């Protein structure tokens, strides 16, 4: 009997270089422009934040982070953002609870209001980051301007370039953009090989990352002490912490549609956003000033002194920040959920270290951030990447890969913190 042979499926044909070269110029332009938009909005918001939470309360004789000023600022932020959503053309875009990293193309008239609402939110203190609005703005600008001035370029390319460029700008490296795009491509039919499809987005992400690095010099490394050679106890700690963080994140995910529906019952942005601001102020009064804002600079303050808080204080900040993220994302503030989720994971990881000193702080932070981001975003590569760059310890990477397995089993097939237009969760 003739022996049966199994042949490997033929690989997808590679695109010739001349087919990829025309995408370089659009990718470079989008990468640089997307980075400048992101840096410009972030810088303006940071300068306004310094005024609102520094010289202004000083001039009024009020403590900068006193309970009185916190209530006044967050309520006022809800009012002014509510006015933007109510009165500015385009209403600052669609319901932010329906937006993720894969933004839809918004009409140009919507973008100024979205930029204004995002900048005011970032300066005022709600617990959201700039990522989702920044991606939406850059996608809208790229699609509009690209369609007007480079009509021969496929229209479907502009959103992909803008998304990759903005993610590269956000993280200061094109690696994050490549991981997000490759994860998105995994569920779609592709023409050609993976790297042919990644060529233009990776170019845009690299240009966005380099521009941000040259202009703003961002860093995610928390400066925690590096780990030595992993031990058996470290493997157990990684598995437990990542799974616990994922379970805690899922609690917020399951609560999200109910809290969102509760705020929707108020029906008007001039009710939803000020009420949301009041709730956020009450949470900040409970959790302290570090639970305000997007959380990126605040995690640096936590990491500079891991012994400066007790396990109970770290857990209080964990729960309060997660609740603040949930409220801010539900009531209509324009912002993303990744950066505050990183704060939640960082506080939880440091709580694990404070509770069990044998848990290395780098291990605790990295694995808790991993589990929290897996639950909130369902983005495996971004979760691994973000957790790894926070601690800059090569010994943690293998432990992160191991810890991601039980955490992923917990979150896969479950909802994520994003809703459809009808209010049902995205899975």
């Amino acid at each position: 009997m003739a022996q049966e042979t199994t042949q490997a499926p033929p690989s997808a044909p590679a695109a010739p270089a001349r087919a990829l070269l025309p995408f370089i110029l659009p990718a470079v332009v989008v990468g640089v422009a997307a980075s400048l938009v992101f840096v410009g909005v972030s810088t303006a918001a940071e300068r306004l934040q310094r005024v609102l939470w520094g010289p202004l309360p000083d001039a009024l004789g009020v403590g900068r982070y006193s309970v009185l000023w916190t209530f006044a600022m967050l309520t006022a932020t809800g009012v002014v953002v509510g006015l933007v959503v109510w009165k500015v053309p385009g209403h600052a875009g669609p319901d932010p609870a329906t937006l993720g990293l894969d933004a839809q193309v918004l009409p140009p008239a919507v973008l100024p209001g979205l930029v204004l609402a995002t900048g005011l939110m970032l300066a005022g203190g709600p617990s959201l980051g700039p990522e989702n609005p920044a991606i939406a703005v850059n996608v809208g600008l790229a699609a509009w301007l690209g369609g007007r001035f480079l009509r021969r370029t496929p229209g479907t390319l502009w959103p992909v370039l803008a998304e990759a460029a903005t993610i590269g700008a956000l993280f200061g490296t094109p690696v994050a953009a490549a991981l997000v795009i490759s994860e998105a491509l995994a569920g779609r039919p592709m023409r050609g090989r993976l790297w042919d499809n990644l060529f233009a987005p990776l170019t845009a992400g690299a240009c966005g990352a380099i521009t941000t690095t040259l202009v703003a010099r961002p860093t995610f490394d928390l400066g925690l002490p590096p780990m030595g050679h992993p031990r058996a106890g470290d493997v157990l700690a990684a598995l437990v912490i990542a799974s616990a963080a994922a379970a805690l994140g899922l609690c917020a995910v399951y609560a999200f549609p109910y809290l969102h529906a509760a705020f929707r019952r108020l029906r008007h942005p001039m009710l939803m956003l000020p009420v949301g601001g009041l709730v956020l102020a009450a949470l900040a009064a409970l959790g302290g000033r570090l639970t305000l804002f997007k959380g990126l600079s605040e995690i640096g303050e936590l990491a500079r002194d891991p012994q400066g808080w007790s396990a109970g204080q770290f857990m209080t900040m964990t729960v309060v920040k997660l609740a603040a993220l949930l409220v801010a994302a539900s009531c209509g503030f324009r912002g993303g959920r990744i950066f505050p989720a990183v704060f939640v994971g960082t506080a939880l990881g440091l709580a694990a270290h404070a509770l069990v000193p044998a848990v290395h702080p780098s291990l605790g932070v990295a694995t808790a951030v991993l589990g929290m981001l897996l639950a909130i975003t369902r983005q495996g590569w971004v979760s691994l990447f973000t957790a790894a760059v926070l601690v800059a310890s090569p010994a943690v990477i293998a432990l992160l890969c191991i810890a991601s397995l039980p955490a992923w089993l917990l979150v896969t097939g479950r909802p994520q913190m994003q809703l459809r237009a009808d209010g049902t969760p995205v899975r």
Side-chain angles (χ1 to χ4, degrees):
M1 184 174 62
Q3 184 178 3
E4 294 184 0
T5 58
T6 302
Q7 294 182 350
S11 59
R18 64 178 178 273
L20 300 177
L21 289 176
F23 297 137
I24 293 179
L25 179 59
V28 171
V29 172
V30 171
V32 174
S35 173
L36 293 177
V37 169
F38 163 67
V39 172
V41 173
S42 298
T43 301
E46 288 171 2
R47 291 182 178 179
L48 179 59
Q49 175 187 328
R50 293 192 194 103
V51 173
L52 295 177
W53 295 86
L56 182 57
D58 290 346
L60 296 174
V62 182
R64 294 187 175 189
Y65 293 97
S66 64
V67 173
L68 175 62
W69 189 249
T70 300
F71 269 91
M73 276 305 310
L74 283 166
T75 305
T77 301
V79 171
V80 295
V81 174
L83 284 171
V84 172
V85 175
W86 180 27
K87 291 295 187 180
V88 173
H91 306 289
D95 183 351
T98 64
L99 298 179
L101 294 181
D102 51 342
Q104 57 183 308
V105 178
L106 299 176
V110 175
L111 305 183
L114 180 56
V115 170
L116 182 58
T118 303
L120 292 171
M121 182 279 300
L122 290 172
S127 294
L128 292 174
E131 59 273 17
N132 290 4
I135 291 172
V137 169
N138 283 328
V139 165
L141 285 174
W144 176 49
L145 295 175
R148 287 174 62 91
F149 297 106
L150 291 173
R151 296 182 179 178
R152 293 185 178 180
T153 302
T156 55
L157 180 65
W158 298 113
V160 178
L161 293 181
E163 181 179 337
T166 310
I167 294 173
L170 282 164
F171 290 96
T173 170
V175 176
L179 293 175
V180 171
I181 298 300
S182 63
E183 191 166 4
L185 289 174
R188 304 176 186 174
M190 289 187 297
R191 293 183 178 180
R193 293 179 177 173
L194 174 63
W195 279 96
D196 291 333
N197 288 272
L198 283 177
F199 180 81
L202 188 57
T203 303
C207 292
I210 291 171
T211 303
T212 301
T213 301
L214 293 175
V215 173
R217 298 180 181 179
T219 180
F220 282 82
D221 185 2
L222 296 180
L224 290 168
M227 278 191 64
H229 188 73
R231 300 165 298 176
D234 295 328
V235 177
L236 178 61
L239 295 171
V240 171
I241 295 171
S243 299
L248 180 61
L250 283 176
C251 293
V253 168
Y254 277 105
F256 185 45
Y258 297 101
L259 189 58
H260 179 266
F263 276 106
R264 292 298 107 180
R265 291 191 185 98
L266 298 177
R267 296 184 179 278
H268 200 284
M270 289 303 294
L271 290 176
M272 293 187 294
L273 286 153
V275 170
L278 278 171
V279 177
L280 291 173
L283 288 170
L286 178 63
R289 65 178 182 84
L290 291 181
T291 58
L292 291 165
F293 307 109
K294 64 183 179 183
L296 193 57
S297 60
E298 287 73 21
I299 62 173
E301 190 168 342
L302 288 179
R304 280 194 294 271
D305 187 16
Q307 315 301 328
W309 292 269
S310 66
Q313 289 172 316
F314 279 126
M315 282 305 304
T316 299
M317 286 188 279
T318 298
V319 174
V320 168
K321 187 68 172 183
L322 187 58
L325 164 59
L326 193 57
V327 171
S330 299
C331 71
F333 283 111
R334 271 53 181 169
R337 299 173 279 276
I338 290 180
F339 287 168
V342 169
F343 180 98
V344 175
T346 300
L348 180 60
L350 292 175
H353 167 67
L355 190 63
V356 183
V359 174
H360 196 282
S362 293
L363 176 64
V365 167
T367 51
V369 168
L370 169 67
M372 185 59 59
L373 286 179
L374 284 175
I376 298 295
T377 69
R378 211 71 81 251
Q379 295 272 348
W381 283 124
V382 169
S383 303
L384 276 168
F385 169 80
T386 304
V389 299
L390 285 175
V391 299
S393 180
V396 173
I397 295 177
L399 293 172
L400 285 174
C401 293
I402 296 171
S404 68
L405 302 178
W408 183 256
L409 289 176
L410 281 174
V411 304
T412 186
R414 301 184 187 276
Q416 63 189 65
M417 194 175 278
Q418 184 180 346
L419 304 177
R420 298 185 179 89
D422 61 359
T424 58
V426 175
R427 292 182 178 269

